Amino acid sequence: MLWIALINKMGTGLWMGAAALYFTLVTGLSVAEVGLLLGVSGAVGIAGAPLAGHLADRFPVTRILIGAQLQQAVALLALLTTDNFALLLLYSAVNSLADRGANVLTKLYAARIAGPDRTRYQAVQRTVSNAGWAVGGLAGACALALGTTHAYHALLLGNVVSFLAAAALTLRCAEPPSPSRVVTASTAAAPEAAAVIEAASAPGAPTASNPWRDRSFLLFTLTEAALFLDDAVLQVGIPLWIVHATDAPHGLAPLLMVLNCVLVVCCQVPLSRFGSTPERARALLVPLAACFVVGCAALTASAFGGTGLAVAALTVAAIALTFAEILHAIASWELSIALAPGDAQGAYLGVHGLSSSAQRSGGPLLVTAVIAAGPLAWPVLGAGVIVTVAAQSRLVRKRLDRRVAGASQAPAGHAVGAPPAV
């Protein structure tokens, strides 16, 4: 699966940096149409996470992931066939739906295949993904230097090929055991074929947990959407802040993105050991908030000085926010798995996936509003993150305490997963 992540993100890195330019320069859409297309397709994609999670509790996760990869390949290939806005919007929305679903399925596969080592596995996978992004982005930048229609088509086709290659490799992956299904080898001669028996179909089986009725998990997901803001600040906020509020050279923006990738590649795996249990993951919320606040303070400082101070402050901001991103990735990964009942793990992770999807839609709007408000708005954003972290920490502590209490009261031999929905 690590090779699949590398190939997938290399293809995504090729295309994502060129997507807006492709719609503007090749298909002839206006800036307003491009913004509408990206916004609407992103909003449609929000539904992909819970849908994929729901399906993964009922069918083999590898087969659903292959379907999502092929859906992305077909949707992207269809972009080459038209310059009609309505069709481009349709194809982009179909791609976005599969993209958000594939993210949840990849996370679920890692949780099931790695077991107790899931935190380290996810850290390695995230490191590989960032390396793929960097390689794909650099290759895409070289192609964009040509600026021809054929160059843009080549980048799009490169992404299509990456999804087809990823699907072919996923086909060879073993299906991991699932808490909501029993998987047995059908024959010794064909171990890759599995008979999947739905646990829910057994007579007298209890109704599976429902994340939409689990108020504490929904509140956890809501706080997660706020903690994903480091992504919007790094990718949208810092470049716009450099241009509109500081004396730093504009060329600093891509360099800070490279610095972000390098830090994630170097630090994600070593730091993952600090979030190997739910309790340790919860403890990471404090340094996460501290890093975010330092980043916001540095962004404020970058607006009050010359070029040298601006460059130094922006570099500090990028480093601090990158470590906030790394720590949140570790904590979010472990806690989302730990708080999900085994009988509906896919459904819960699908709902949790709404947090990153919502941030992708609303995060840039919030960050641009902060930029418009001026330098002193950054500390206000940092204070909001502190409040969010405090609320999430308290919520997680209560839920983990209930789980421990439930385990101590359970009859001998009775497996207790996550706490009951409240």
Side-chain angles (χ1 to χ4, degrees), residues 69 87 168 194 198 234 346:
Q69 291 161 340
L87 289 176
E198 299 294 342
L234 282 165

Side-chain angles (χ1 to χ4, degrees), residues 31-412:
V31 174
E33 287 176 323
V34 172
L36 181 62
L37 182 147
L38 296 178
V40 172
S41 61
V44 171
I46 292 176
L51 177 60
H54 176 79
L55 292 174
D57 281 332
R58 288 153 178 80
F59 305 100
V61 66
T62 51
R63 298 304 181 259
I64 306 171
L65 181 56
I66 290 171
Q69 291 161 340
L70 293 177
Q71 180 176 326
Q72 287 177 277
V74 171
L76 288 171
L77 192 61
L79 293 176
L80 293 173
T81 66
T82 183
D83 58 3
N84 178 272
F85 175 75
L87 289 176
L88 291 172
L89 176 58
L90 172 63
Y91 300 148
S92 297
V94 170
N95 173 60
S96 181
L97 190 72
D99 174 65
R100 303 313 301 162
N103 285 344
V104 169
L105 295 170
T106 302
K107 180 178 179 179
L108 186 60
Y109 181 92
R112 291 176 177 176
I113 202 71
D117 295 326
R118 61 187 181 228
T119 300
R120 181 173 176 82
Y121 184 97
Q122 175 70 2
V124 172
Q125 187 170 55
R126 192 164 187 270
T127 299
V128 170
S129 296
N130 273 268
W133 265 97
V135 172
L138 289 174
C142 294
L144 288 177
L146 299 176
T148 64
T149 299
H150 291 303
Y152 284 102
H153 287 166
L155 292 176
L156 180 53
L157 288 172
N159 198 13
V160 170
V161 170
S162 75
F163 285 123
L164 293 176
L169 291 174
T170 304
L171 189 62
R172 303 179 60 184
C173 291
E175 176 66 20
S178 166
S180 58
R181 301 196 321 275
V182 178
V183 181
T184 58
S186 58
T187 63
E192 69 278 0
V196 180
I197 305 174
E198 299 294 342
S201 64
T207 303
S209 303
N210 187 343
W212 298 106
R213 297 179 180 176
D214 189 337
R215 290 194 300 273
S216 66
F217 192 83
L218 291 175
L219 288 173
F220 171 72
T221 300
L222 181 63
T223 59
E224 282 286 272
L227 297 186
F228 272 113
L229 276 174
D230 52 69
D231 181 68
V233 176
L234 282 165
Q235 297 194 27
V236 178
I238 288 183
L240 291 177
W241 189 249
I242 288 174
V243 173
H244 295 288
T246 76
D247 293 327
H250 296 179
L252 179 65
L255 295 179
L256 293 180
M257 294 302 101
V258 172
L259 176 62
N260 169 265
C261 286
V262 170
L263 288 174
V264 171
V265 169
C266 293
C267 301
Q268 188 73 65
V269 174
L271 291 177
S272 66
R273 69 180 185 274
F274 295 109
S276 56
T277 66
E279 292 75 13
R280 298 185 75 182
R282 175 176 167 264
L284 289 180
L285 295 175
V286 173
L288 183 163
C291 288
F292 198 98
V293 169
V294 169
C296 288
L299 286 171
T300 297
S302 68
F304 298 103
T307 301
L309 175 61
V311 170
L314 287 164
T315 302
V316 170
I319 293 173
L321 290 166
T322 297
F323 276 101
E325 174 191 354
I326 292 171
L327 295 176
H328 180 239
I330 297 169
S332 175
W333 163 248
E334 176 62 27
L335 292 176
S336 63
I337 296 292
L339 301 183
D343 65 340
Q345 192 179 63
Y348 270 71
L349 291 184
V351 169
H352 179 262
L354 291 173
S355 57
S356 60
S357 298
Q359 187 281 141
R360 286 193 175 191
S361 296
L365 296 176
L366 177 59
V367 168
T368 52
V370 169
I371 293 173
L376 297 181
W378 288 113
V380 175
L381 182 64
V385 168
I386 292 176
V387 172
T388 302
V389 162
Q392 184 179 111
S393 179
R394 183 170 180 269
L395 187 154
V396 169
R397 176 178 57 80
K398 287 186 174 182
R399 192 168 172 110
L400 292 177
D401 287 347
R402 287 199 303 272
R403 184 178 68 175
V404 173
S408 64
Q409 296 172 7

